[in-house]
Amino acid sequence: GENVEQHPSTLSVQEGDSAVIKCTYSDSASNYFPWYKQELGKRPQLIIDIRSNVGEKKDQRIAVTLNKTAKHFSLHITETQPEDSAVYFCAASKGAGNMLTFGGGTRLMVKP
Amino acid sequence: NAGVTQTPKFQVLKTGQSMTLQCAQDMNHNSMYWYRQDPGMGLRLIYYSASEGTTDKGEVPNGYNVSRLNKREFSLRLESAAPSQTSVYFCASSVFRSGNTIYFGEGSWLTVV
């Protein structure tokens, strides 16, 4: 089955700096890659996703890049703010009708 | 449109007691899921229901049972609670044939003493 590894497990940055979280996946057939943000005591919520027919997707301060050849994808957060502090989960699946496999999560701390 | 709602939000059980976590979604999704999240840990799939009338085991099914009551509702039952089942439980749903974006409920905090 699919295996998703996520790094780093914790990341501390200064407010205003950029943060990058990386995930690798094992199944080359995977074609859907969402990212979830979980604030303390809250539910995981989808923040951005990418499909394998595109290499990059942006939404304001967040972007996701995908390298299908290397089987890895990354979340980029620019101009970090304290409210970006949360746990971020990546995931991968082979698309419609298939299960999502989650990475282990990254705890991002943005220091004011 | 409430999305995914689950009850109760908090529960304390004694070892050996049973209880059922209830979950309902109003997004007309076909697939529903139960995950558990231990402190500082990731999401582990307990059971899922790909469509009404079907249920399948996930990564950590031991000690749990599920019922897909209808398209909207998916319950999780602990028959004889153990301290190792102290966790936060998330119900989730997704449109079966559309990219697998999963929408989570708010979580149920369960403590077994």
Side-chain angles (χ1 to χ4, degrees):
Chain A
E2 174 69 278
N3 182 49
V4 178
E5 296 190 356
Q6 184 171 348
H7 299 280
S9 56
T10 60
L11 178 60
S12 181
V13 300
Q14 283 297 134
E15 183 178 359
D17 288 350
S18 295
V20 181
I21 302 169
K22 298 180 180 179
C23 288
T24 60
Y25 60 99
S26 60
D27 192 337
S28 57
S30 288
N31 58 18
Y32 176 64
F33 308 93
W35 286 88
Y36 287 81
K37 176 184 180 181
Q38 186 180 28
E39 297 176 353
L40 188 62
K42 301 288 183 63
R43 75 183 93 185
Q45 292 193 292
L46 178 73
I47 55 171
I48 195 168
D49 58 13
I50 192 168
R51 300 181 190 275
S52 60
N53 58 343
V54 297
E56 183 176 6
K57 184 176 179 180
K58 290 183 179 179
D59 183 2
Q60 299 182 350
R61 294 186 299 108
I62 60 173
V64 57
T65 59
L66 171 65
N67 184 326
K68 288 171 56 181
T69 302
K71 290 190 287 188
H72 67 71
F73 56 111
S74 300
L75 178 71
H76 304 254
I77 306 174
T78 58
E79 301 173 20
T80 54
Q81 301 168 3
E83 52 264 39
D84 294 329
S85 296
V87 177
Y88 292 81
F89 292 98
C90 65
S93 93
K94 290 185 281 191
N98 290 281
M99 298 296 295
L100 270 178
T101 299
F102 284 92
T106 297
R107 183 174 299 280
L108 173 64
M109 294 171 284
V110 180
K111 295 180 286 187
Chain B
N1 189 335
V4 180
T5 57
Q6 52 182 113
T7 58
K9 192 168 180 67
F10 299 98
Q11 183 74 47
V12 178
L13 284 178
K14 294 182 179 179
T15 297
Q17 285 186 318
S18 62
M19 77 158 297
T20 300
L21 299 175
Q22 307 285 355
C23 175
Q25 53 88 12
D26 61 3
M27 296 179 282
N28 201 32
H29 286 170
N30 291 303
S31 300
M32 298 185 72
Y33 314 82
W34 277 105
Y35 288 88
R36 63 175 286 175
Q37 185 176 36
D38 299 331
M41 301 289 286
L43 298 157
R44 293 189 292 171
L45 183 65
I46 305 170
Y47 270 94
Y48 67 99
S49 171
S51 60
E52 187 178 357
T54 69
T55 60
D56 287 285
K57 295 178 181 179
E59 180 186 356
V60 288
N62 291 345
Y64 305 94
N65 285 300
V66 291
S67 295
R68 183 73 183 267
L69 305 171
N70 47 55
K71 189 173 184 179
R72 291 185 65 248
E73 298 172 289
F74 188 40
S75 63
L76 178 72
R77 183 162 178 83
L78 286 70
E79 291 291 351
S80 179
S84 61
Q85 294 178 304
T86 293
S87 191
V88 182
Y89 291 84
F90 288 100
C91 178
S93 70
S94 70
V95 177
F96 182 64
R97 298 194 181 280
S98 178
N100 276 327
T101 301
I102 286 181
Y103 298 90
F104 289 88
E106 292 185 328
S108 296
W109 274 253
L110 176 65
T111 301
V112 183
V113 298

mmCIF file of all heavy atoms in Angstrom, chain B residues 11-21 63-64 76-83 85-86 89 110-113:
data_model
loop_
_atom_site.group_PDB
_atom_site.id
_atom_site.type_symbol
_atom_site.label_atom_id
_atom_site.label_comp_id
_atom_site.label_asym_id
_atom_site.label_seq_id
_atom_site.Cartn_x
_atom_site.Cartn_y
_atom_site.Cartn_z
ATOM 1 N N GLN B 11 -16.296 12.617 26.798
ATOM 2 C CA GLN B 11 -16.840 11.477 27.529
ATOM 3 C C GLN B 11 -15.749 10.856 28.378
ATOM 4 O O GLN B 11 -14.617 10.686 27.905
ATOM 5 C CB GLN B 11 -17.407 10.443 26.559
ATOM 6 C CG GLN B 11 -18.064 9.246 27.230
ATOM 7 C CD GLN B 11 -19.411 9.602 27.834
ATOM 8 O OE1 GLN B 11 -20.252 10.241 27.200
ATOM 9 N NE2 GLN B 11 -19.614 9.203 29.081
ATOM 10 N N VAL B 12 -16.102 10.529 29.603
ATOM 11 C CA VAL B 12 -15.205 9.765 30.476
ATOM 12 C C VAL B 12 -15.864 8.417 30.741
ATOM 13 O O VAL B 12 -17.022 8.364 31.148
ATOM 14 C CB VAL B 12 -14.935 10.502 31.801
ATOM 15 C CG1 VAL B 12 -14.027 9.648 32.693
ATOM 16 C CG2 VAL B 12 -14.300 11.860 31.538
ATOM 17 N N LEU B 13 -15.120 7.369 30.494
ATOM 18 C CA LEU B 13 -15.624 6.006 30.701
ATOM 19 C C LEU B 13 -14.766 5.284 31.713
ATOM 20 O O LEU B 13 -13.565 5.571 31.831
ATOM 21 C CB LEU B 13 -15.570 5.216 29.388
ATOM 22 C CG LEU B 13 -16.593 5.456 28.301
ATOM 23 C CD1 LEU B 13 -16.273 4.574 27.105
ATOM 24 C CD2 LEU B 13 -17.996 5.175 28.813
ATOM 25 N N LYS B 14 -15.369 4.318 32.388
ATOM 26 C CA LYS B 14 -14.584 3.420 33.222
ATOM 27 C C LYS B 14 -14.192 2.217 32.384
ATOM 28 O O LYS B 14 -14.906 1.813 31.446
ATOM 29 C CB LYS B 14 -15.395 2.984 34.435
ATOM 30 C CG LYS B 14 -15.709 4.123 35.408
ATOM 31 C CD LYS B 14 -16.473 3.610 36.609
ATOM 32 C CE LYS B 14 -16.749 4.758 37.591
ATOM 33 N NZ LYS B 14 -17.527 4.299 38.765
ATOM 34 N N THR B 15 -13.067 1.634 32.708
ATOM 35 C CA THR B 15 -12.606 0.436 32.013
ATOM 36 C C THR B 15 -13.701 -0.618 32.018
ATOM 37 O O THR B 15 -14.294 -0.906 33.062
ATOM 38 C CB THR B 15 -11.340 -0.113 32.685
ATOM 39 O OG1 THR B 15 -10.304 0.877 32.578
ATOM 40 C CG2 THR B 15 -10.873 -1.391 32.025
ATOM 41 N N GLY B 16 -13.957 -1.179 30.837
ATOM 42 C CA GLY B 16 -14.971 -2.210 30.708
ATOM 43 C C GLY B 16 -16.337 -1.702 30.278
ATOM 44 O O GLY B 16 -17.178 -2.496 29.834
ATOM 45 N N GLN B 17 -16.586 -0.402 30.411
ATOM 46 C CA GLN B 17 -17.865 0.144 29.970
ATOM 47 C C GLN B 17 -17.921 0.200 28.449
ATOM 48 O O GLN B 17 -16.885 0.181 27.775
ATOM 49 C CB GLN B 17 -18.072 1.551 30.550
ATOM 50 C CG GLN B 17 -18.430 1.562 32.013
ATOM 51 C CD GLN B 17 -18.759 2.973 32.503
ATOM 52 O OE1 GLN B 17 -18.097 3.952 32.163
ATOM 53 N NE2 GLN B 17 -19.801 3.068 33.320
ATOM 54 N N SER B 18 -19.137 0.277 27.938
ATOM 55 C CA SER B 18 -19.319 0.395 26.501
ATOM 56 C C SER B 18 -19.934 1.747 26.174
ATOM 57 O O SER B 18 -20.568 2.381 27.034
ATOM 58 C CB SER B 18 -20.225 -0.728 25.982
ATOM 59 O OG SER B 18 -21.503 -0.630 26.578
ATOM 60 N N MET B 19 -19.724 2.180 24.964
ATOM 61 C CA MET B 19 -20.354 3.411 24.506
ATOM 62 C C MET B 19 -20.319 3.478 22.980
ATOM 63 O O MET B 19 -19.537 2.767 22.333
ATOM 64 C CB MET B 19 -19.672 4.646 25.081
ATOM 65 C CG MET B 19 -18.374 5.024 24.436
ATOM 66 S SD MET B 19 -17.950 6.757 24.706
ATOM 67 C CE MET B 19 -19.281 7.582 23.872
ATOM 68 N N THR B 20 -21.168 4.324 22.447
ATOM 69 C CA THR B 20 -21.245 4.532 21.007
ATOM 70 C C THR B 20 -21.045 5.999 20.688
ATOM 71 O O THR B 20 -21.688 6.856 21.293
ATOM 72 C CB THR B 20 -22.602 4.059 20.469
ATOM 73 O OG1 THR B 20 -22.768 2.665 20.735
ATOM 74 C CG2 THR B 20 -22.691 4.295 18.968
ATOM 75 N N LEU B 21 -20.138 6.251 19.751
ATOM 76 C CA LEU B 21 -19.957 7.599 19.213
ATOM 77 C C LEU B 21 -20.823 7.716 17.962
ATOM 78 O O LEU B 21 -20.776 6.853 17.083
ATOM 79 C CB LEU B 21 -18.490 7.852 18.863
ATOM 80 C CG LEU B 21 -17.491 7.776 20.015
ATOM 81 C CD1 LEU B 21 -16.075 7.924 19.491
ATOM 82 C CD2 LEU B 21 -17.788 8.838 21.049
ATOM 83 N N GLY B 63 -10.998 -3.761 19.004
ATOM 84 C CA GLY B 63 -11.691 -3.143 20.126
ATOM 85 C C GLY B 63 -12.841 -2.241 19.719
ATOM 86 O O GLY B 63 -13.499 -1.649 20.583
ATOM 87 N N TYR B 64 -13.089 -2.156 18.420
ATOM 88 C CA TYR B 64 -14.134 -1.279 17.907
ATOM 89 C C TYR B 64 -15.072 -2.037 16.968
ATOM 90 O O TYR B 64 -14.664 -3.004 16.331
ATOM 91 C CB TYR B 64 -13.535 -0.107 17.120
ATOM 92 C CG TYR B 64 -12.527 0.708 17.865
ATOM 93 C CD1 TYR B 64 -11.164 0.430 17.741
ATOM 94 C CD2 TYR B 64 -12.918 1.772 18.673
ATOM 95 C CE1 TYR B 64 -10.219 1.184 18.424
ATOM 96 C CE2 TYR B 64 -11.983 2.537 19.344
ATOM 97 C CZ TYR B 64 -10.638 2.243 19.222
ATOM 98 O OH TYR B 64 -9.706 2.991 19.893
ATOM 99 N N LEU B 76 -19.624 4.520 15.815
ATOM 100 C CA LEU B 76 -18.460 3.750 16.286
ATOM 101 C C LEU B 76 -18.747 3.280 17.703
ATOM 102 O O LEU B 76 -19.074 4.079 18.568
ATOM 103 C CB LEU B 76 -17.204 4.624 16.285
ATOM 104 C CG LEU B 76 -15.923 3.972 16.807
ATOM 105 C CD1 LEU B 76 -15.392 2.951 15.806
ATOM 106 C CD2 LEU B 76 -14.848 5.039 17.076
ATOM 107 N N ARG B 77 -18.609 1.990 17.944
ATOM 108 C CA ARG B 77 -18.920 1.434 19.259
ATOM 109 C C ARG B 77 -17.681 0.827 19.899
ATOM 110 O O ARG B 77 -16.940 0.086 19.233
ATOM 111 C CB ARG B 77 -20.022 0.383 19.155
ATOM 112 C CG ARG B 77 -20.425 -0.181 20.522
ATOM 113 C CD ARG B 77 -21.758 -0.872 20.477
ATOM 114 N NE ARG B 77 -22.116 -1.455 21.769
ATOM 115 C CZ ARG B 77 -22.677 -0.772 22.771
ATOM 116 N NH1 ARG B 77 -22.943 0.526 22.630
ATOM 117 N NH2 ARG B 77 -22.980 -1.383 23.906
ATOM 118 N N LEU B 78 -17.493 1.165 21.163
ATOM 119 C CA LEU B 78 -16.475 0.530 21.991
ATOM 120 C C LEU B 78 -17.206 -0.436 22.905
ATOM 121 O O LEU B 78 -18.006 -0.024 23.747
ATOM 122 C CB LEU B 78 -15.731 1.559 22.831
ATOM 123 C CG LEU B 78 -14.713 2.467 22.139
ATOM 124 C CD1 LEU B 78 -15.390 3.474 21.225
ATOM 125 C CD2 LEU B 78 -13.842 3.188 23.171
ATOM 126 N N GLU B 79 -16.993 -1.713 22.737
ATOM 127 C CA GLU B 79 -17.761 -2.717 23.486
ATOM 128 C C GLU B 79 -17.281 -2.833 24.932
ATOM 129 O O GLU B 79 -18.072 -2.989 25.842
ATOM 130 C CB GLU B 79 -17.655 -4.083 22.801
ATOM 131 C CG GLU B 79 -18.378 -4.154 21.466
ATOM 132 C CD GLU B 79 -19.899 -4.099 21.607
ATOM 133 O OE1 GLU B 79 -20.414 -4.168 22.749
ATOM 134 O OE2 GLU B 79 -20.580 -3.981 20.572
ATOM 135 N N SER B 80 -15.982 -2.778 25.149
ATOM 136 C CA SER B 80 -15.415 -2.892 26.491
ATOM 137 C C SER B 80 -14.197 -1.973 26.534
ATOM 138 O O SER B 80 -13.102 -2.367 26.160
ATOM 139 C CB SER B 80 -15.024 -4.338 26.774
ATOM 140 O OG SER B 80 -14.447 -4.452 28.063
ATOM 141 N N ALA B 81 -14.428 -0.738 26.961
ATOM 142 C CA ALA B 81 -13.391 0.280 26.855
ATOM 143 C C ALA B 81 -12.149 -0.068 27.677
ATOM 144 O O ALA B 81 -12.246 -0.609 28.795
ATOM 145 C CB ALA B 81 -13.948 1.634 27.294
ATOM 146 N N ALA B 82 -10.996 0.292 27.111
ATOM 147 C CA ALA B 82 -9.708 0.089 27.771
ATOM 148 C C ALA B 82 -8.963 1.414 27.810
ATOM 149 O O ALA B 82 -9.175 2.270 26.935
ATOM 150 C CB ALA B 82 -8.887 -0.949 27.008
ATOM 151 N N PRO B 83 -8.080 1.613 28.799
ATOM 152 C CA PRO B 83 -7.315 2.872 28.871
ATOM 153 C C PRO B 83 -6.570 3.193 27.576
ATOM 154 O O PRO B 83 -6.382 4.370 27.252
ATOM 155 C CB PRO B 83 -6.362 2.623 30.044
ATOM 156 C CG PRO B 83 -7.116 1.683 30.932
ATOM 157 C CD PRO B 83 -7.839 0.762 29.984
ATOM 158 N N GLN B 85 -7.642 3.079 24.757
ATOM 159 C CA GLN B 85 -8.555 3.704 23.818
ATOM 160 C C GLN B 85 -8.819 5.177 24.154
ATOM 161 O O GLN B 85 -9.613 5.835 23.482
ATOM 162 C CB GLN B 85 -9.872 2.925 23.753
ATOM 163 C CG GLN B 85 -9.695 1.534 23.165
ATOM 164 C CD GLN B 85 -10.975 0.734 23.133
ATOM 165 O OE1 GLN B 85 -11.625 0.534 24.168
ATOM 166 N NE2 GLN B 85 -11.351 0.266 21.965
ATOM 167 N N THR B 86 -8.125 5.674 25.164
ATOM 168 C CA THR B 86 -8.168 7.114 25.445
ATOM 169 C C THR B 86 -7.561 7.849 24.261
ATOM 170 O O THR B 86 -6.408 7.610 23.892
ATOM 171 C CB THR B 86 -7.376 7.432 26.725
ATOM 172 O OG1 THR B 86 -8.050 6.847 27.840
ATOM 173 C CG2 THR B 86 -7.269 8.941 26.932
ATOM 174 N N TYR B 89 -11.355 11.123 18.847
ATOM 175 C CA TYR B 89 -11.928 10.402 17.726
ATOM 176 C C TYR B 89 -12.548 11.397 16.745
ATOM 177 O O TYR B 89 -13.327 12.268 17.125
ATOM 178 C CB TYR B 89 -12.988 9.413 18.223
ATOM 179 C CG TYR B 89 -12.377 8.281 19.009
ATOM 180 C CD1 TYR B 89 -12.091 8.420 20.374
ATOM 181 C CD2 TYR B 89 -12.048 7.082 18.389
ATOM 182 C CE1 TYR B 89 -11.501 7.392 21.088
ATOM 183 C CE2 TYR B 89 -11.463 6.044 19.101
ATOM 184 C CZ TYR B 89 -11.183 6.213 20.445
ATOM 185 O OH TYR B 89 -10.584 5.192 21.137
ATOM 186 N N LEU B 110 -12.302 11.275 24.290
ATOM 187 C CA LEU B 110 -12.687 10.137 25.118
ATOM 188 C C LEU B 110 -11.559 9.791 26.076
ATOM 189 O O LEU B 110 -10.416 9.610 25.654
ATOM 190 C CB LEU B 110 -13.012 8.928 24.251
ATOM 191 C CG LEU B 110 -13.348 7.636 24.992
ATOM 192 C CD1 LEU B 110 -14.640 7.802 25.795
ATOM 193 C CD2 LEU B 110 -13.474 6.471 24.019
ATOM 194 N N THR B 111 -11.903 9.710 27.360
ATOM 195 C CA THR B 111 -10.941 9.291 28.379
ATOM 196 C C THR B 111 -11.468 8.035 29.047
ATOM 197 O O THR B 111 -12.620 8.005 29.488
ATOM 198 C CB THR B 111 -10.736 10.384 29.443
ATOM 199 O OG1 THR B 111 -10.275 11.579 28.807
ATOM 200 C CG2 THR B 111 -9.716 9.935 30.488
ATOM 201 N N VAL B 112 -10.628 6.999 29.101
ATOM 202 C CA VAL B 112 -11.005 5.753 29.768
ATOM 203 C C VAL B 112 -10.131 5.613 31.016
ATOM 204 O O VAL B 112 -8.901 5.598 30.916
ATOM 205 C CB VAL B 112 -10.825 4.534 28.852
ATOM 206 C CG1 VAL B 112 -11.293 3.264 29.562
ATOM 207 C CG2 VAL B 112 -11.587 4.732 27.549
ATOM 208 N N VAL B 113 -10.798 5.541 32.163
ATOM 209 C CA VAL B 113 -10.041 5.478 33.432
ATOM 210 C C VAL B 113 -10.158 4.099 34.068
ATOM 211 O O VAL B 113 -11.045 3.317 33.724
ATOM 212 C CB VAL B 113 -10.533 6.570 34.407
ATOM 213 C CG1 VAL B 113 -10.290 7.940 33.803
ATOM 214 C CG2 VAL B 113 -12.004 6.373 34.743
#
